[in-house]
């Protein structure tokens, strides 16, 4: 087994960078390896206009480490008030690359999301016409729906009809966690794709309860049973260009996770590509990592692939128990343990 692996520089097609004094830490972590990232708009208030996205991009660029060419690709947060005119403005703007749909209340800072998709028809028509992708947090929000079933219910009752009603709308089902989602995306048209996180490839739901409750393994959509993890690994490593890397790295302060009502989100940006390498290595599919991490995403978004390369080495690295996050700290994935790969810096 080769101990080194060289890849075209990967990109992260689903990332939370936050804002304010936390931004310098998150941008430094992701720009270490990724060339570009699709930046989630779930700030408070949400990034719902082109002007807000442009201003957020400027704040990100201001804290970008010197010498880095990391490129933030901005998204708009779809609200009930989003107008087709704003969508047309986004389509014409070179720095806005997608619109994010949060079913209202589905996850962190999703309160301003959408409850009635039918009311967004003119927005979806404008997006389909301009080729602007709709990125979807795919979970149902009916209070009676079981948390482990929400993705499957959403795919069946909401996504399938949406894709049928808007047959040319470009869609990315974000951070998929189930066999149901894999099957749907596989059988949908070529312009329907999905991102997969490293933690959903590496862990199933038992990890949340290993020896006690582990709040740092809680994210949304929540980890699912082993058979779903296996379906995700097969999809990610199968070479299908519809599946690509999106970390969903979601930083929260340690105190907000270790709480009676802990926040959803797993932070992986400190070792994201290294975690993906572990997952691909486990099934002998390292030769498929470059397509998933570096090619399928830009091809879907109609952007050029990165032209420089990174080198990974299979060497165990300790992961710090905590990392700085502005004036506080977070607990990263594997904090206090180790990761089996390292990205070598020249
Ligand atoms: C994300 C966050 O913290 O912003 N949390 C998460 O568990 N993934 C929001 C999201 O992508 O659902
Ligand atoms: Zn996310």
């Amino acid at each position: 087994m080769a101990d080194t692996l060289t890849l075209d520089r990967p990109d992260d097609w689903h990332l939370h960078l936050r804002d304010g004094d936390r931004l310098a830490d998150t941008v430094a972590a992701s720009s270490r390896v990724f060339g570009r990232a699709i930046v989630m708009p779930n700030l408070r208030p949400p990034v719902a206009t082109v002007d807000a996205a442009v201003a957020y991009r400027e704040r990100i660029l201001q804290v970008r480490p010197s010498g880095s060419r990391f490129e933030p690709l901005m998204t708009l947060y779809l609200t009930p008030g989003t107008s087709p005119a704003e969508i047309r403005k986004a389509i014409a703007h070179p720095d806005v690359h997608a619109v994010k749909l949060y079913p209202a209340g589905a996850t962190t800072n999703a309160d301003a999301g959408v409850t009635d998709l039918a009311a967004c028809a003119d927005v979806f028509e404008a997006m389909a016409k301009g080729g602007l992708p709709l990125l979807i947090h795919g979970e149902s929000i009916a209070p009676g729906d079981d948390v482990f079933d929400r993705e499957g219910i959403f795919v069946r009752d909401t996504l399938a009809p949406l894709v049928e009603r808007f047959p040319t709308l470009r869609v990315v089902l974000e951070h998929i966690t189930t066999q149901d989602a894999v099957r749907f995306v596989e059988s949908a048209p070529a312009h329907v794709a999905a991102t997969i996180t490293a933690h959903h490839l590496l862990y199933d739901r038992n990890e949340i309860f290993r020896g006690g409750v582990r709040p740092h393994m809680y994210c949304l959509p929540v980890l699912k049973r082993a058979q779903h993890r296996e379906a995700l690994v097969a999809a990610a490593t199968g070479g299908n260009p519809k599946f690509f890397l999106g970390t969903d790295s979601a930083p929260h302060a340690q105190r907000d996770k270790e709480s009676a009502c802990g926040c959803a989100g797993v932070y992986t940006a400190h070792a994201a590509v290294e975690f993906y390498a572990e997952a691909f290595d486990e099934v002998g599919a390292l030769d498929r990592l470059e397509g998933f991490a570096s090619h399928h995403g830009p091809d879907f978004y109609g952007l050029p692939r990165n032209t420089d390369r990174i080198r990974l080495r299979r060497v165990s690295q300790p992961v710090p128990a905590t990392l700085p996050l502005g004036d506080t700290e977070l607990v990263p994935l594997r904090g206090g343990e180790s990761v089996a790969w390292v990205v070598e810096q020249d």
Side-chain angles (χ1 to χ4, degrees):
M1 261 192 310
D3 281 335
T4 62
L5 180 65
T6 306
L7 307 176
D8 285 346
R9 183 174 296 283
D11 304 298
D12 185 349
W13 300 96
H14 182 124
L15 176 64
H16 299 274
L17 289 174
R18 312 303 191 207
D19 205 355
D21 70 355
R22 299 185 172 188
L23 205 47
D25 292 314
T26 58
V27 172
S30 289
S31 62
R32 180 184 62 97
V33 173
F34 292 114
R36 296 165 286 197
I38 283 278
V39 179
M40 287 296 124
N42 62 333
L43 305 181
R44 275 183 203 278
V47 181
T49 62
V50 173
D51 290 350
V54 168
Y56 185 27
R57 181 171 177 274
E58 277 309 310
R59 297 197 294 281
I60 295 166
L61 292 178
Q62 267 165 24
V63 297
R64 186 170 65 173
S66 67
S68 166
R69 286 181 300 167
F70 176 72
E71 215 186 309
L73 309 174
M74 309 314 292
T75 61
L76 295 195
Y77 189 123
L78 183 67
T79 74
T82 304
S83 67
E86 195 64 31
I87 295 297
R88 285 190 288 273
K89 193 171 165 186
I91 290 163
H93 201 288
D95 296 327
V96 179
H97 293 269
V99 173
K100 179 67 191 271
L101 163 61
Y102 291 102
T107 186
T108 306
N109 294 348
D111 315 343
V114 171
T115 46
D116 181 11
L117 283 191
C120 302
D122 48 0
V123 161
F124 297 147
E125 296 286 4
M127 290 177 64
K129 201 165 162 210
L132 192 64
L134 181 67
L135 316 184
I136 301 182
H137 183 107
E139 289 195 285
S140 67
I141 48 176
D145 292 347
D146 189 283
V147 68
F148 291 102
D149 296 337
R150 284 181 188 179
E151 185 172 280
I153 295 170
F154 183 90
V155 166
R156 187 192 63 205
D157 294 349
T158 306
L159 184 59
L162 183 79
V163 166
E164 206 160 296
R165 166 133 190 236
F166 302 96
T168 59
L169 181 63
R170 302 166 60 67
V171 169
V172 184
L173 186 55
E174 300 284 55
H175 43 53
I176 59 170
T177 62
T178 59
Q179 196 165 32
D180 317 58
V182 168
R183 285 194 186 135
F184 177 80
V185 171
E186 281 173 348
S187 62
H191 57 270
V192 177
T195 55
I196 306 180
T197 79
H199 46 289
H200 287 96
L201 293 175
L202 289 168
Y203 299 103
D204 65 47
R205 65 189 189 181
N206 287 288
E207 189 64 19
I208 307 170
F209 307 105
R210 185 167 55 83
V213 71
R214 294 181 177 262
H216 299 290
M217 296 309 301
Y218 172 60
C219 63
L220 288 171
V222 71
L223 296 172
K224 304 297 191 302
R225 60 167 70 242
Q227 102 198 29
H228 293 293
R229 184 186 78 86
E230 284 156 21
L232 298 175
V233 170
T237 62
N240 186 335
K242 285 164 159 269
F243 298 103
F244 42 86
L245 184 159
T247 63
D248 195 19
S249 180
H252 289 278
Q254 179 173 11
R255 61 171 180 269
D256 295 332
K257 299 273 303 168
E258 296 174 9
S259 142
C261 187
C263 295
V266 172
Y267 184 76
T268 53
H270 58 296
V273 176
E274 296 87 332
F275 289 130
Y276 281 106
E278 276 190 10
F280 277 62
D281 198 12
E282 255 175 32
V283 294
L286 283 173
D287 58 324
R288 293 281 171 80
L289 182 59
E290 186 176 44
F292 176 80
S294 316
H295 296 163
H296 302 168
D299 294 356
F300 180 87
Y301 276 87
L303 294 169
R305 296 175 179 179
N306 293 319
T307 51
D308 58 337
R309 292 169 73 75
I310 64 158
R311 197 169 60 247
L312 286 138
R313 183 176 293 277
R314 192 192 284 103
V315 183
S316 178
Q317 288 297 310
V319 176
T322 60
L323 290 170
L325 180 66
D327 66 358
T328 184
E329 290 188 326
L330 60 73
V331 175
L333 184 67
R334 295 270 175 84
E337 300 171 37
S338 63
V339 58
W341 289 80
V342 60
V343 173
E344 295 189 325
Q345 304 289 348
D346 290 324

